CSV table of all heavy atoms in Angstrom, one decimal:
chain,number,residue,atom,x,y,z
A,61,LYS,N,-58.8,-100.6,-83.6
A,61,LYS,CA,-59.5,-101.2,-82.4
A,61,LYS,C,-58.7,-101.0,-81.1
A,61,LYS,O,-59.3,-101.2,-80.0
A,61,LYS,CB,-59.7,-102.7,-82.7
A,61,LYS,CG,-60.7,-102.9,-83.8
A,61,LYS,CD,-60.8,-104.4,-84.1
A,61,LYS,CE,-61.7,-104.7,-85.2
A,61,LYS,NZ,-61.8,-106.1,-85.5
A,62,GLY,N,-57.4,-100.7,-81.2
A,62,GLY,CA,-56.5,-100.6,-80.1
A,62,GLY,C,-56.7,-99.2,-79.3
A,62,GLY,O,-57.5,-98.4,-79.7
A,63,PRO,N,-55.9,-99.1,-78.3
A,63,PRO,CA,-56.0,-97.9,-77.4
A,63,PRO,C,-55.7,-96.6,-78.1
A,63,PRO,O,-56.1,-95.5,-77.6
A,63,PRO,CB,-55.0,-98.1,-76.3
A,63,PRO,CG,-54.2,-99.3,-76.7
A,63,PRO,CD,-54.9,-100.0,-77.8
A,64,ASP,N,-55.0,-96.5,-79.2
A,64,ASP,CA,-54.8,-95.3,-80.0
A,64,ASP,C,-56.0,-94.7,-80.5
A,64,ASP,O,-56.1,-93.5,-80.7
A,64,ASP,CB,-53.8,-95.5,-81.1
A,64,ASP,CG,-52.3,-95.6,-80.6
A,64,ASP,OD1,-52.0,-95.2,-79.4
A,64,ASP,OD2,-51.5,-96.2,-81.4
A,65,PHE,N,-57.0,-95.6,-80.8
A,65,PHE,CA,-58.3,-95.1,-81.5
A,65,PHE,C,-59.5,-95.5,-80.7
A,65,PHE,O,-59.9,-94.8,-79.7
A,65,PHE,CB,-58.3,-95.6,-82.9
A,65,PHE,CG,-57.3,-94.9,-83.8
A,65,PHE,CD1,-56.1,-95.5,-84.1
A,65,PHE,CD2,-57.6,-93.7,-84.5
A,65,PHE,CE1,-55.1,-94.9,-84.9
A,65,PHE,CE2,-56.7,-93.1,-85.2
A,65,PHE,CZ,-55.5,-93.7,-85.5
A,66,LEU,N,-60.2,-96.6,-81.0
A,66,LEU,CA,-61.4,-97.0,-80.4
A,66,LEU,C,-61.3,-97.6,-79.0
A,66,LEU,O,-62.2,-97.5,-78.2
A,66,LEU,CB,-62.2,-97.9,-81.3
A,66,LEU,CG,-62.7,-97.3,-82.6
A,66,LEU,CD1,-63.4,-98.3,-83.5
A,66,LEU,CD2,-63.6,-96.1,-82.4
A,67,ASP,N,-60.2,-98.2,-78.7
A,67,ASP,CA,-59.9,-98.9,-77.4
A,67,ASP,C,-61.0,-99.8,-77.1
A,67,ASP,O,-61.7,-99.7,-76.0
A,67,ASP,CB,-59.7,-97.8,-76.4
A,67,ASP,CG,-59.0,-98.3,-75.1
A,67,ASP,OD1,-58.7,-99.5,-75.1
A,67,ASP,OD2,-58.8,-97.5,-74.2
A,68,ILE,N,-61.3,-100.8,-78.0
A,68,ILE,CA,-62.4,-101.7,-77.8
A,68,ILE,C,-62.4,-102.5,-76.5
A,68,ILE,O,-63.4,-103.0,-76.1
A,68,ILE,CB,-62.6,-102.6,-79.1
A,68,ILE,CG1,-61.5,-103.5,-79.2
A,68,ILE,CG2,-62.9,-101.7,-80.3
A,68,ILE,CD1,-61.7,-104.6,-80.2
A,69,GLU,N,-61.2,-102.8,-76.0
A,69,GLU,CA,-61.1,-103.6,-74.7
A,69,GLU,C,-61.8,-102.8,-73.6
A,69,GLU,O,-62.5,-103.5,-72.8
A,69,GLU,CB,-59.7,-103.8,-74.4
A,69,GLU,CG,-59.0,-104.8,-75.3
A,69,GLU,CD,-59.7,-106.2,-75.4
A,69,GLU,OE1,-60.1,-106.7,-74.4
A,69,GLU,OE2,-59.8,-106.7,-76.6
A,70,ARG,N,-61.7,-101.5,-73.6
A,70,ARG,CA,-62.3,-100.7,-72.5
A,70,ARG,C,-63.7,-100.2,-72.9
A,70,ARG,O,-64.6,-100.0,-72.1
A,70,ARG,CB,-61.4,-99.6,-72.1
A,70,ARG,CG,-60.2,-100.0,-71.4
A,70,ARG,CD,-59.3,-98.9,-70.9
A,70,ARG,NE,-59.8,-97.6,-71.2
A,70,ARG,CZ,-59.4,-96.4,-70.8
A,70,ARG,NH1,-58.4,-96.4,-70.0
A,70,ARG,NH2,-59.8,-95.3,-71.2
A,71,PHE,N,-63.9,-100.0,-74.2
A,71,PHE,CA,-65.1,-99.3,-74.7
A,71,PHE,C,-65.6,-100.1,-75.9
A,71,PHE,O,-65.5,-99.7,-77.1
A,71,PHE,CB,-64.9,-97.9,-75.1
A,71,PHE,CG,-64.2,-97.1,-74.0
A,71,PHE,CD1,-62.9,-96.8,-74.1
A,71,PHE,CD2,-64.9,-96.7,-72.9
A,71,PHE,CE1,-62.2,-96.0,-73.1
A,71,PHE,CE2,-64.3,-95.9,-71.9
A,71,PHE,CZ,-63.0,-95.6,-72.0
A,72,PRO,N,-66.2,-101.3,-75.7
A,72,PRO,CA,-66.7,-102.2,-76.8
A,72,PRO,C,-67.9,-101.6,-77.6
A,72,PRO,O,-68.1,-102.1,-78.7
A,72,PRO,CB,-67.0,-103.5,-76.2
A,72,PRO,CG,-67.3,-103.1,-74.8
A,72,PRO,CD,-66.5,-101.9,-74.4
A,73,GLU,N,-68.6,-100.6,-77.1
A,73,GLU,CA,-69.8,-100.1,-77.7
A,73,GLU,C,-69.7,-98.6,-78.0
A,73,GLU,O,-69.1,-97.9,-77.2
A,73,GLU,CB,-71.0,-100.4,-76.9
A,73,GLU,CG,-71.3,-101.9,-76.8
A,73,GLU,CD,-72.6,-102.1,-75.9
A,73,GLU,OE1,-73.0,-101.2,-75.2
A,73,GLU,OE2,-73.1,-103.2,-76.1
A,74,ILE,N,-70.3,-98.2,-79.1
A,74,ILE,CA,-70.5,-96.8,-79.4
A,74,ILE,C,-72.0,-96.7,-79.4
A,74,ILE,O,-72.8,-97.5,-80.0
A,74,ILE,CB,-70.0,-96.5,-80.8
A,74,ILE,CG1,-68.4,-96.8,-80.9
A,74,ILE,CG2,-70.3,-95.1,-81.2
A,74,ILE,CD1,-67.9,-96.8,-82.3
A,75,THR,N,-72.5,-95.6,-78.8
A,75,THR,CA,-74.0,-95.4,-78.7
A,75,THR,C,-74.4,-94.1,-79.2
A,75,THR,O,-73.6,-93.1,-79.2
A,75,THR,CB,-74.5,-95.6,-77.3
A,75,THR,OG1,-73.9,-94.7,-76.4
A,75,THR,CG2,-74.2,-97.0,-76.7
A,76,PHE,N,-75.6,-94.0,-79.7
A,76,PHE,CA,-76.3,-92.7,-80.0
A,76,PHE,C,-77.7,-92.8,-79.5
A,76,PHE,O,-78.4,-93.7,-79.7
A,76,PHE,CB,-76.3,-92.5,-81.6
A,76,PHE,CG,-77.0,-91.3,-82.0
A,76,PHE,CD1,-76.4,-90.0,-81.8
A,76,PHE,CD2,-78.3,-91.3,-82.5
A,76,PHE,CE1,-77.1,-88.9,-82.1
A,76,PHE,CE2,-79.0,-90.2,-82.8
A,76,PHE,CZ,-78.4,-88.9,-82.6
A,77,ARG,N,-78.1,-91.7,-78.9
A,77,ARG,CA,-79.5,-91.5,-78.4
A,77,ARG,C,-79.9,-90.1,-78.9
A,77,ARG,O,-79.3,-89.1,-78.5
A,77,ARG,CB,-79.5,-91.6,-76.9
A,77,ARG,CG,-79.3,-93.0,-76.4
A,77,ARG,CD,-79.4,-93.1,-74.9
A,77,ARG,NE,-79.3,-94.5,-74.5
A,77,ARG,CZ,-78.1,-95.2,-74.5
A,77,ARG,NH1,-77.0,-94.7,-74.9
A,77,ARG,NH2,-78.1,-96.5,-74.1
A,78,GLY,N,-81.0,-90.1,-79.6
A,78,GLY,CA,-81.5,-88.8,-80.1
A,78,GLY,C,-83.0,-88.7,-80.0
A,78,GLY,O,-83.7,-89.7,-80.2
A,79,SER,N,-83.5,-87.5,-79.6
A,79,SER,CA,-84.9,-87.3,-79.4
A,79,SER,C,-85.4,-85.9,-79.9
A,79,SER,O,-86.6,-85.6,-79.8
A,79,SER,CB,-85.4,-87.6,-78.0
A,79,SER,OG,-84.7,-86.7,-77.1
A,80,GLN,N,-84.5,-85.1,-80.3
A,80,GLN,CA,-84.9,-83.8,-80.7
A,80,GLN,C,-84.8,-83.8,-82.3
A,80,GLN,O,-83.7,-84.0,-82.8
A,80,GLN,CB,-83.9,-82.7,-80.2
A,80,GLN,CG,-84.1,-82.5,-78.7
A,80,GLN,CD,-83.1,-81.5,-78.2
A,80,GLN,OE1,-81.9,-81.7,-78.2
A,80,GLN,NE2,-83.7,-80.4,-77.7
A,81,VAL,N,-85.9,-83.5,-82.9
A,81,VAL,CA,-86.0,-83.6,-84.4
A,81,VAL,C,-86.4,-82.2,-84.9
A,81,VAL,O,-87.4,-81.6,-84.5
A,81,VAL,CB,-87.0,-84.6,-84.9
A,81,VAL,CG1,-87.0,-84.6,-86.4
A,81,VAL,CG2,-86.6,-86.0,-84.3
A,82,ARG,N,-85.6,-81.7,-85.8
A,82,ARG,CA,-85.9,-80.4,-86.5
A,82,ARG,C,-86.1,-80.7,-88.0
A,82,ARG,O,-85.3,-81.2,-88.7
A,82,ARG,CB,-84.7,-79.4,-86.3
A,82,ARG,CG,-85.0,-78.1,-86.8
A,82,ARG,CD,-83.9,-77.1,-86.5
A,82,ARG,NE,-82.7,-77.3,-87.3
A,82,ARG,CZ,-81.5,-77.7,-86.7
A,82,ARG,NH1,-81.4,-77.8,-85.4
A,82,ARG,NH2,-80.5,-77.8,-87.5
A,83,LEU,N,-87.4,-80.5,-88.4
A,83,LEU,CA,-87.8,-80.8,-89.8
A,83,LEU,C,-87.2,-79.8,-90.8
A,83,LEU,O,-87.3,-78.6,-90.5
A,83,LEU,CB,-89.3,-80.9,-89.9
A,83,LEU,CG,-89.9,-82.0,-89.1
A,83,LEU,CD1,-91.4,-81.9,-89.4
A,83,LEU,CD2,-89.4,-83.4,-89.5
A,84,LEU,N,-86.6,-80.2,-91.9
A,84,LEU,CA,-86.1,-79.3,-92.9
A,84,LEU,C,-86.9,-79.4,-94.1
A,84,LEU,O,-86.8,-78.5,-95.0
A,84,LEU,CB,-84.7,-79.7,-93.2
A,84,LEU,CG,-83.7,-79.6,-92.0
A,84,LEU,CD1,-82.3,-80.1,-92.5
A,84,LEU,CD2,-83.6,-78.3,-91.4
A,85,GLY,N,-87.7,-80.4,-94.3
A,85,GLY,CA,-88.6,-80.6,-95.5
A,85,GLY,C,-89.4,-81.8,-95.3
A,85,GLY,O,-89.3,-82.5,-94.3
A,86,ALA,N,-90.1,-82.2,-96.4
A,86,ALA,CA,-90.9,-83.4,-96.4
A,86,ALA,C,-90.1,-84.7,-96.0
A,86,ALA,O,-90.7,-85.5,-95.3
A,86,ALA,CB,-91.6,-83.6,-97.7
A,87,ASN,N,-88.9,-84.8,-96.5
A,87,ASN,CA,-88.1,-86.0,-96.2
A,87,ASN,C,-86.8,-85.7,-95.6
A,87,ASN,O,-85.9,-86.6,-95.7
A,87,ASN,CB,-87.9,-86.8,-97.6
A,87,ASN,CG,-89.3,-87.3,-98.1
A,87,ASN,OD1,-90.1,-87.8,-97.4
A,87,ASN,ND2,-89.4,-87.2,-99.4
A,88,GLU,N,-86.6,-84.5,-95.1
A,88,GLU,CA,-85.3,-84.1,-94.5
A,88,GLU,C,-85.5,-83.6,-93.1
A,88,GLU,O,-86.4,-82.9,-92.8
A,88,GLU,CB,-84.7,-83.0,-95.4
A,88,GLU,CG,-84.5,-83.3,-96.8
A,88,GLU,CD,-83.5,-84.4,-97.1
A,88,GLU,OE1,-82.5,-84.5,-96.4
A,88,GLU,OE2,-83.7,-85.1,-98.1
A,89,ALA,N,-84.5,-84.0,-92.2
A,89,ALA,CA,-84.6,-83.6,-90.9
A,89,ALA,C,-83.2,-83.6,-90.3
A,89,ALA,O,-82.3,-84.2,-90.8
A,89,ALA,CB,-85.5,-84.5,-90.0
A,90,VAL,N,-83.0,-82.9,-89.1
A,90,VAL,CA,-81.9,-83.0,-88.3
A,90,VAL,C,-82.3,-83.6,-87.0
A,90,VAL,O,-83.2,-83.1,-86.4
A,90,VAL,CB,-81.2,-81.6,-88.1
A,90,VAL,CG1,-80.1,-81.7,-87.1
A,90,VAL,CG2,-80.7,-81.0,-89.4
A,91,VAL,N,-81.6,-84.6,-86.6
A,91,VAL,CA,-81.8,-85.3,-85.3
A,91,VAL,C,-80.7,-84.9,-84.4
A,91,VAL,O,-79.5,-85.2,-84.7
A,91,VAL,CB,-81.9,-86.8,-85.4
A,91,VAL,CG1,-82.1,-87.4,-84.0
A,91,VAL,CG2,-83.1,-87.2,-86.3
A,92,LEU,N,-81.0,-84.3,-83.3
A,92,LEU,CA,-80.0,-83.9,-82.3
A,92,LEU,C,-79.9,-85.0,-81.2
A,92,LEU,O,-81.0,-85.4,-80.8
A,92,LEU,CB,-80.3,-82.5,-81.7
A,92,LEU,CG,-80.2,-81.4,-82.7
A,92,LEU,CD1,-81.7,-81.0,-83.0
A,92,LEU,CD2,-79.4,-80.3,-82.1
A,93,GLY,N,-78.7,-85.4,-80.9
A,93,GLY,CA,-78.6,-86.4,-79.9
A,93,GLY,C,-77.2,-86.5,-79.3
A,93,GLY,O,-76.4,-85.7,-79.6
A,94,ASP,N,-77.0,-87.5,-78.5
A,94,ASP,CA,-75.7,-87.7,-77.8
A,94,ASP,C,-75.0,-88.9,-78.4
A,94,ASP,O,-75.6,-90.0,-78.4
A,94,ASP,CB,-75.9,-87.9,-76.3
A,94,ASP,CG,-76.4,-86.6,-75.6
A,94,ASP,OD1,-76.0,-85.5,-76.1
A,94,ASP,OD2,-77.2,-86.7,-74.7
A,95,LEU,N,-73.8,-88.8,-78.8
A,95,LEU,CA,-72.9,-89.8,-79.3
A,95,LEU,C,-71.9,-90.1,-78.2
A,95,LEU,O,-71.3,-89.2,-77.6
A,95,LEU,CB,-72.2,-89.4,-80.5
A,95,LEU,CG,-71.2,-90.5,-81.1
A,95,LEU,CD1,-71.9,-91.7,-81.6
A,95,LEU,CD2,-70.4,-89.8,-82.2
A,96,THR,N,-71.8,-91.4,-77.8
A,96,THR,CA,-70.8,-91.8,-76.8
A,96,THR,C,-69.8,-92.7,-77.5
A,96,THR,O,-70.2,-93.7,-78.0
A,96,THR,CB,-71.5,-92.6,-75.6
A,96,THR,OG1,-72.5,-91.7,-75.0
A,96,THR,CG2,-70.5,-93.0,-74.6
A,97,LEU,N,-68.6,-92.3,-77.5
A,97,LEU,CA,-67.4,-92.9,-78.1
A,97,LEU,C,-66.3,-92.9,-77.2
A,97,LEU,O,-65.9,-91.8,-76.7
A,97,LEU,CB,-67.1,-92.2,-79.4
A,97,LEU,CG,-65.9,-92.7,-80.2
A,97,LEU,CD1,-66.2,-94.0,-80.8
A,97,LEU,CD2,-65.7,-91.7,-81.4
């Protein structure tokens, strides 16, 4: 949780936003998006 890794004091949240979906099969897909860490 400290500054060597997640640095939660400065960055308390991790976010993901995805809106591009590539279907691979009936129940499989790849979602492309942006991860903020």
